Amino acid sequence: MQETEETEEQERLSYQQRLKAAVHYTVGCLCQEVAEDKEMQFSKQTIAAISEMTFRQCENFARDVEMFARHAKRNTVNTEDVKLLARRSNSLLKYITEKSEELNQERKAKKKKQPKDGNQSCREPAEAGGGDSES
Amino acid sequence: MERAGTGFRKELVSKLLHLHFRDEKTKVGGDALQLMAELLRIFVVEAAVRGVRQAQAEDVTLVDIDQLEKVLPQLLLDF
């Protein structure tokens, strides 16, 4: 009994570790871009710290967005909920609202063909886990 | 920063969100995921750019933990 619980806990932790690694990779790519743009270097610790921040911020985001959806009596998080996440900063809210509009129009324009993600140049070296469920 | 190729992949964002959801029934729409990925990208880029600005103000050529620490409180208040 206890052993299975322990292995479950370990699996959960290693899954989390893999997601963290994926976040770290993306953060590394983004920082690299900023570094080239601004001609400034980032220390390894800084990139690691930003990754950790981002991972933890995800927890806040996830909880908030889930509660927003629940408050609207929905089980599915939609763009309105994500917009609420950006409520604390005016310019961020404006930007996110514009982006959301853009996505809406994109989807209307090509309802059949899914728009390709623009993430091709920056792939995680290893998949964080099996099953690519998109919802 | 204009729309560059780099960013969080939708699958990763989905997994990150589902890791923290309290209710397994909670789902995320496709557009919401895309928007969430964008929000996370902005978060990271903001952290980096603010760190750069701090380093420039201090006249150093490396963004180290010290610089990040100084911009962290305001960053977290903005998100």
Side-chain angles (χ1 to χ4, degrees):
Chain A
M1 267 284 267
Q2 199 151 17
E3 263 172 44
T4 51
E5 258 171 45
E6 261 171 39
T7 40
E8 260 173 39
E9 175 71 6
Q10 251 168 10
E11 262 169 38
R12 204 181 57 80
L13 277 178
S14 84
Y15 178 63
Q16 196 167 317
Q17 229 41 53
R18 261 149 56 216
L19 287 184
K20 266 191 195 183
V23 170
H24 189 282
Y25 177 75
T26 311
V27 170
C29 289
L30 286 169
C31 281
Q32 186 61 35
E33 275 180 13
V34 174
E36 278 165 22
D37 191 45
K38 308 271 179 194
E39 286 172 17
M40 185 69 83
Q41 302 251 301
F42 288 90
S43 73
K44 276 205 177 106
Q45 289 98 313
T46 305
I47 292 175
I50 296 178
S51 308
E52 189 65 31
M53 271 158 55
T54 310
F55 190 79
R56 300 211 181 174
Q57 193 70 6
C58 268
E59 184 171 348
N60 294 334
F61 285 160
R63 297 256 159 92
D64 281 357
V65 112
E66 185 181 35
M67 282 200 151
F68 295 155
R70 195 64 16 98
H71 187 67
K73 302 196 168 55
R74 278 186 270 104
N75 270 329
T76 307
V77 173
N78 65 17
T79 48
E80 290 303 309
D81 303 321
V82 183
K83 274 190 222 163
L84 274 177
L85 277 185
R87 69 193 176 281
R88 275 185 265 254
S89 155
N90 275 329
S91 47
L92 182 63
L93 183 59
K94 198 167 148 254
Y95 179 80
I96 289 292
T97 309
E98 277 167 17
K99 258 281 141 357
S100 154
E101 244 47 345
E102 228 173 80
L103 281 173
N104 225 340
Q105 262 155 19
E106 243 174 66
R107 211 183 21 159
K108 265 186 201 160
K110 33 183 166 180
K111 216 164 189 177
K112 282 226 171 107
K113 218 176 175 197
Q114 272 273 277
K116 258 193 157 186
D117 298 294
N119 305 341
Q120 247 70 354
S121 72
C122 187
R123 296 246 142 187
E124 279 84 347
E127 264 308 329
D132 284 351
S133 63
E134 287 234 340
S135 56
Chain B
M1 293 283 291
E2 257 321 297
R3 178 143 187 82
T6 322
F8 288 92
R9 292 171 56 209
K10 270 169 105 179
E11 300 91 78
L12 174 59
V13 177
S14 169
K15 279 168 195 156
L16 284 169
L17 289 179
H18 283 278
L19 184 69
H20 296 299
F21 283 157
R22 294 212 172 117
D23 194 336
E24 282 129 56
K25 277 183 293 181
T26 310
K27 292 195 277 280
V28 189
D31 275 8
L33 263 189
Q34 191 88 55
L35 208 56
M36 197 68 213
E38 186 63 19
L39 187 73
L40 283 174
R41 192 184 69 86
I42 300 283
F43 179 74
V44 174
V45 171
E46 271 298 314
V49 170
R50 289 181 193 202
V52 167
R53 214 191 299 148
Q54 183 62 33
Q56 280 165 346
E58 290 178 22
D59 213 8
V60 290
T61 53
L62 181 82
V63 184
D64 213 341
I65 285 292
D66 300 333
Q67 282 76 41
L68 188 66
E69 255 178 16
K70 284 175 198 155
V71 296
L72 186 58
Q74 189 57 49
L75 181 78
L76 292 182
L77 283 175
D78 288 334
F79 279 84

